Amino acid sequence: RPVDIEGKVDSVKGKIALWENKAVYSNVLGMIDLTSLTVSDTTSKIASMASKMRGFNSLYPDLPMPASICAYPNFAKTIATTRGGCDYHITVVGGCFPSSQSFLEVKIAECVRAVKDGADEVDIVLAHSAFNEGRYEDAAGEISAIGAAVRSENKNVVLKVILETGVLKDFEEIALASFLEMEAGADFIKTSTGKTEPAATPQAAFIMCECIKAFYKATGKKVGFKPAGGIATTEDAALY
């Protein structure tokens, strides 16, 4: 339905002081993925991140631990063997992240292997090669196929699907992609890979959350929302 998206976002920004407080910042900390996704990542670097997380609660006993460590799928086992008994998830980016440009069987194999190695959450990217040509069934089919494959390995795995909103041409496409991903079985819909510009925007976030609300009203299934990319300040975090 027609919505004044810019007006809605401006309204939230006008109330930002309501959320700039310790309670909100604490909650935000518990939603962060401690992430490294660079070409220079090494086993020792990722293991060091996992070791650092093990000492978090002793240093900050009154704060929630970040939600997960996020890395490339080949590091899932490294995190799993270093995590110990710490209560955080192992998140991997899979399905030939960030481009999603490969054969479906390759995407599935990568994601399944990561889950076998200990990944609790898998983040994949919408297949824009199909979506941008209007082959929506093909784009949705890839999501469903990857979801079925990883859940056959671990029924509790969380599947997050990235829209890459910065490459979608308008607000209507963001809404279409949101509904496509949710109907195909996404547990979370996510704004961006962080590898393109623009990454997350409040406008895209508003549309996605409106779609989540409508999907929940229609189906009873509550899908999660994840903003990513370019969120660098406490004010950004409070806004989202």
Side-chain angles (χ1 to χ4, degrees):
R1 65 187 187 275
V3 176
D4 178 9
I5 294 166
E6 296 291 351
K8 292 285 188 179
V9 170
D10 287 343
S11 176
V12 175
K13 288 181 177 179
K15 302 173 185 175
I16 193 71
L18 294 173
W19 301 292
E20 292 183 305
N21 59 65
K22 185 176 180 179
V24 169
Y25 295 153
S26 178
N27 286 338
V28 166
L29 183 62
M31 300 174 186
I32 286 175
D33 294 338
L34 183 62
T35 301
S36 188
L37 298 171
T38 72
V39 296
S40 59
D41 286 344
T42 62
T43 300
S44 58
K45 177 183 176 181
I46 302 303
S48 177
M49 287 174 59
S51 296
K52 185 177 181 180
M53 283 276 269
R54 277 203 322 226
F56 184 90
N57 282 339
S58 61
L59 290 173
Y60 307 104
D62 298 326
L63 295 175
M65 179 175 285
S68 80
I69 287 181
C70 179
Y72 281 110
N74 48 306
F75 295 115
K77 183 174 285 187
T78 298
I79 302 169
T81 55
T82 315
R83 175 171 56 174
C86 286
D87 185 23
Y88 66 82
H89 275 191
I90 298 170
T91 300
V92 299
V93 292
C96 301
F97 174 98
S99 69
S100 191
Q101 297 283 13
S102 190
F103 305 103
L104 177 56
E105 56 266 35
V106 174
K107 299 178 187 181
I108 290 173
E110 182 184 55
C111 294
V112 169
R113 171 63 184 272
V115 173
K116 286 182 177 179
D117 283 351
D120 305 292
E121 304 183 15
V122 177
D123 292 15
I124 63 172
V125 182
L126 174 68
H128 284 269
S129 55
F131 184 86
N132 292 352
E133 291 186 332
R135 293 187 287 113
Y136 303 128
E137 288 188 7
D138 292 341
E142 287 206 6
I143 296 168
S144 297
I146 294 171
V150 296
R151 289 170 183 137
S152 69
E153 188 64 36
N154 175 4
K155 66 179 182 179
N156 295 317
V157 72
V158 175
L159 181 67
K160 303 202 289 295
V161 186
I162 302 166
L163 278 73
E164 199 68 298
T165 55
V167 303
L168 297 174
K169 64 183 181 182
D170 53 35
F171 292 160
E172 287 75 16
E173 277 206 342
I174 292 174
L176 176 60
S178 296
F179 283 117
L180 182 150
E181 292 181 358
M182 291 188 287
E183 290 166 3
D187 297 305
F188 277 71
I189 57 175
K190 179 177 173 180
T191 60
S192 320
T193 62
K195 302 297 185 181
T196 64
E197 289 295 335
T201 66
Q203 292 79 8
F206 177 82
I207 295 165
M208 292 168 67
C209 289
E210 284 285 291
C211 293
I212 288 170
K213 181 180 178 181
F215 187 74
Y216 174 66
K217 185 176 180 179
T219 67
K221 180 182 178 182
K222 190 177 290 185
V223 174
F225 166 72
K226 181 177 179 181
I231 303 171
T233 67
T234 51
E235 183 178 9
D236 291 337
L239 175 63
Y240 284 103

